[in-house]
Amino acid sequence: LFAALSAMLSPFSSVPLVPIAIVIWGPLLTSAMLLAGWTMGGALSYLIGKKFGYDIASIFIPHEKLDKWSRQIERKVSMFLILAFRTMTPSETGYIFGILKYPFWRYMAVTFLSELPFAFAMSYASSAVISGEREIFLLLATASAIFIFVFYMIYRREFKKAA
């Protein structure tokens, strides 16, 4: 529940609860719960954006421009670029994907794939801290930073192609 809420509202974070969950359920089940919560939160933010966000956004941006952006994203932007974007940005971008009417199931696949490595890294890094395994924590933190950097570089390359 807290993971879903944190995926929808930036000020909230489920991260402080991860060590407690690790002690109670272990890193694998905690990873699964984080992934499920973050994915549900992504789905809810998408649905809210689609249901209410389009009308609110059209107060500031003409319908024609929103519709044009929606068509351009679906036609010109590769799913891999969407995955790279979603990996590097907060989960609140679900509202934007909903407003732009990006296909729901594609968005859900991208959301699941983008959250998967972070759920496991967060859980196993917390487990390493709890058990005093500094090397494993540093390895996971370094791997996460490299992962984000690689996705950023791919995103830049793909974005230039799409532009």
Side-chain angles (χ1 to χ4, degrees):
L1 179 63
F2 284 114
L5 187 60
S6 72
M8 296 174 62
L9 301 169
S10 205
F12 295 102
S13 177
S14 54
V15 172
L17 299 175
V18 171
I20 297 167
I22 295 292
V23 171
I24 297 170
W25 294 295
L28 184 61
L29 187 54
T30 300
S31 298
M33 289 190 298
L34 280 173
L35 183 59
W38 290 342
T39 302
M40 285 188 301
L44 289 172
S45 65
Y46 174 95
L47 294 170
I48 290 168
K50 188 170 185 176
K51 178 77 175 166
F52 304 108
Y54 184 84
D55 292 333
I56 293 169
S58 65
I59 294 169
F60 306 101
I61 304 166
H63 285 280
E64 300 80 32
K65 190 169 254 185
L66 287 171
D67 294 338
K68 179 183 173 188
W69 289 344
S70 179
R71 286 189 305 275
Q72 285 178 328
I73 287 173
E74 195 164 349
R75 208 173 51 241
K76 289 185 176 183
V77 179
S78 71
M79 192 154 166
F80 190 79
L81 181 59
I82 298 291
L83 175 62
F85 174 77
R86 182 62 187 79
T87 299
M88 295 179 313
T89 57
S91 53
E92 291 84 8
T93 55
Y95 297 110
I96 296 167
F97 283 101
I99 290 168
L100 295 177
K101 299 177 181 167
Y102 188 76
F104 178 74
W105 291 111
R106 280 194 216 163
Y107 174 73
M108 291 311 302
V110 163
T111 296
F112 180 84
L113 292 172
S114 68
E115 298 291 9
L116 182 66
F118 295 107
F120 280 92
M122 178 71 60
S123 294
Y124 283 92
S126 293
S127 179
V129 167
I130 290 168
S131 60
E133 297 171 321
R134 185 181 330 191
E135 296 82 14
I136 292 175
F137 173 79
L138 291 174
L139 178 67
L140 287 167
T142 303
S144 295
I146 291 169
F147 178 77
I148 291 170
F149 178 75
V150 167
F151 261 85
Y152 171 73
M153 296 307 289
I154 293 169
Y155 174 78
R156 279 186 45 185
R157 186 189 72 215
E158 291 289 316
F159 188 76
K160 285 179 184 177
K161 278 191 221 177

